[in-house]
C-alpha cells in the first residue's frame, strides 16, 4: 500500500535558520514524489517533484530510496515561507494510478 | 492560475440540505480528484475520476456522491448535510494518475 508520513504536524523556526520538513513514504514500486505548498488556506500549489531535481524558492528535496525519505530543505528560511506543506506519493494501487498525501506540516517562520 | 475552476467559492446552507459543487479541470486533463480539507482532519482524499469513470475512492461518505461528465467537468453532491461537513472542498486535475495535481481554489462550505 502507498503511505506517506509527515511526522511533524507543526514546525517553527526563526528567519534565517535552516529548515527541514520530513517526509517518509512506503511503497513497493518505483515512487514519484512531490511537495505541495498551501498558503493561508488557498489552493495547493506544486512546489517540487523529485524527477525534476530543481530548486524552487530556495527549497530542495532529495529522494533517498534507502531511507524511503523525501525531506524538504531550505538553508535560510524566510517569513513568506510560512505555510502548510504536503508531501505526496504517486504510484499504482489496484490497477489505478493515484496520489497519496501526507497529513501536512505547518511551517511558521518567526521574525 | 492553475486552470482548474471551482464554483461556487462559498456556500452557506443548513443542516439536512443538499448541495452540488462544480469543477472544471484544466484543458486536456482527464483525471479529476476531490478532496475535503477541514481544520481537524487535514486533507482527505474523497474520490477520483478518469475520463468519466470512477478510478479510486477514499474516505467518501455514503451521503456524498460524484460524477464526471462527457465534457470532463465534475460535480460533487453532498446530501443530508451535517455541521461536521463544513470544510474546504478542493478539486484537482491531472493528465494521468501519477502526474502532478493542479488544484482549484476550493469551495468553502459552511453548514449552519
Amino acid at each position: 500500500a502507498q503511505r506517506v508520513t509527515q511526522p511533524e504536524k507543526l514546525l517553527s523556526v526563526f528567519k534565517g535558520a535552516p529548515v527541514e520538513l520530513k517526509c517518509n513514504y512506503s511503497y513497493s514500486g518505483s515512487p514519484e514524489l512531490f511537495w505541495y505548498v498551501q498558503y493561508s488556506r488557498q489552493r495547493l500549489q506544486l512546489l517540487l517533484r523529485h524527477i525534476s531535481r530543481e530548486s524552487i524558492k530556495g527549497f530542495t528535496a532529495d529522494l533517498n530510496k534507502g531511507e524511503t525519505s523525501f525531506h524538504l530543505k531550505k538553508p535560510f528560511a524566510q517569513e513568506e515561507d510560512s505555510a502548510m506543506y504536503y508531501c505526496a506519493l504517486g504510484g499504482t494501487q489496484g490497477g489505478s494510478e493515484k496520489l497519496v498525501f501526507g497529513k501536512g506540516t505547518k511551517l511558521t517562520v518567526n521574525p | 492560475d492553475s486552470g482548474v475552476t471551482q464554483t461556487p467559492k462559498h456556500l452557506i446552507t443548513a443542516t439536512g440540505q443538499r448541495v452540488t459543487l462544480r469543477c472544471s479541470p484544466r484543458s486536456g486533463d482527464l483525471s479529476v480528484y476531490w478532496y475535503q480539507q477541514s481544520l481537524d482532519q487535514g486533507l482527505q482524499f474523497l474520490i477520483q475520476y478518469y475520463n468519466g469513470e470512477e478510478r479510486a475512492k477514499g474516505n467518501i461518505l455514503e451521503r456524498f456522491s460524484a460524477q464526471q461528465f462527457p465534457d470532463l467537468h465534475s460535480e460533487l453532491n453532498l446530501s443530508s448535510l451535517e455541521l461536521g461537513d463544513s470544510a474546504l472542498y478542493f478539486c484537482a486535475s491531472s493528465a494521468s494518475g501519477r502526474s502532478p495535481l493542479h488544484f482549484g481554489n476550493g469551495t468553502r462550505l459552511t453548514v449552519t
Side-chain angles (χ1 to χ4, degrees):
Chain A
Q2 287 171 249
R3 192 161 53 242
V4 177
T5 304
Q6 291 180 251
E8 302 138 330
K9 207 171 179 178
L10 302 168
L11 185 61
S12 185
V13 301
F14 285 103
K15 177 181 169 183
V19 63
E20 181 180 55
L21 292 90
K22 291 186 168 50
C23 172
N24 289 91
Y25 67 90
S26 173
Y27 182 59
S28 56
S30 183
E32 282 197 56
L33 285 141
F34 308 87
W35 276 100
Y36 285 82
V37 61
Q38 185 183 29
Y39 301 101
S40 300
R41 306 287 282 178
Q42 296 176 20
R43 65 181 177 86
L44 277 78
Q45 302 173 49
L46 178 66
L47 183 63
L48 284 176
R49 59 187 305 187
H50 88 271
I51 61 172
S52 302
R53 299 189 65 82
E54 57 194 342
S55 173
I56 304 290
K57 299 184 181 181
F59 284 98
T60 58
D62 289 316
L63 176 61
N64 186 324
K65 289 189 178 180
E67 295 183 0
T68 59
S69 68
F70 189 56
H71 303 326
L72 184 68
K73 300 177 186 177
K74 185 168 182 176
F76 307 104
Q78 303 299 314
E79 288 180 69
E80 55 265 31
D81 296 328
S82 296
M84 277 292 291
Y85 290 82
Y86 291 93
C87 182
L89 166 66
T92 304
Q93 186 172 332
S96 294
E97 294 177 334
K98 60 187 293 188
L99 201 62
V100 172
F101 283 84
K103 291 192 182 299
T105 298
K106 183 176 181 179
L107 174 65
T108 302
V109 181
N110 300 299
Chain B
D1 182 11
S2 67
V4 178
T5 305
Q6 286 188 251
T7 56
K9 279 187 180 176
H10 301 279
L11 203 47
I12 301 174
T13 189
T15 54
Q17 295 299 304
R18 173 191 167 94
V19 296
T20 297
L21 282 55
R22 197 176 191 279
C23 169
S24 293
R26 276 193 332 160
S27 177
D29 284 354
L30 299 179
S31 266
V32 168
Y33 301 73
W34 285 99
Y35 288 86
Q36 179 194 57
Q37 186 179 44
S38 55
L39 280 172
D40 55 344
Q41 292 291 323
L43 197 65
Q44 298 279 319
F45 167 67
L46 295 178
I47 198 163
Q48 177 203 355
Y49 281 84
Y50 179 82
N51 204 20
E53 291 187 6
E54 183 184 301
R55 267 293 173 91
K57 233 173 181 176
N59 300 322
I60 188 166
L61 300 171
E62 283 191 17
R63 300 184 285 109
F64 296 179
S65 65
Q67 53 183 329
Q68 187 180 27
F69 295 87
D71 67 352
L72 301 177
H73 91 270
S74 178
E75 291 181 357
L76 179 67
N77 300 296
L78 316 176
S79 60
S80 303
L81 284 167
E82 302 175 359
L83 295 177
D85 297 328
S86 295
L88 259 174
Y89 290 84
F90 285 107
C91 170
S93 74
S94 72
S96 71
R98 288 165 68 97
S99 302
L101 297 189
H102 299 270
F103 283 81
N105 289 324
T107 293
R108 184 175 295 279
L109 173 67
T110 303
V111 182
T112 61

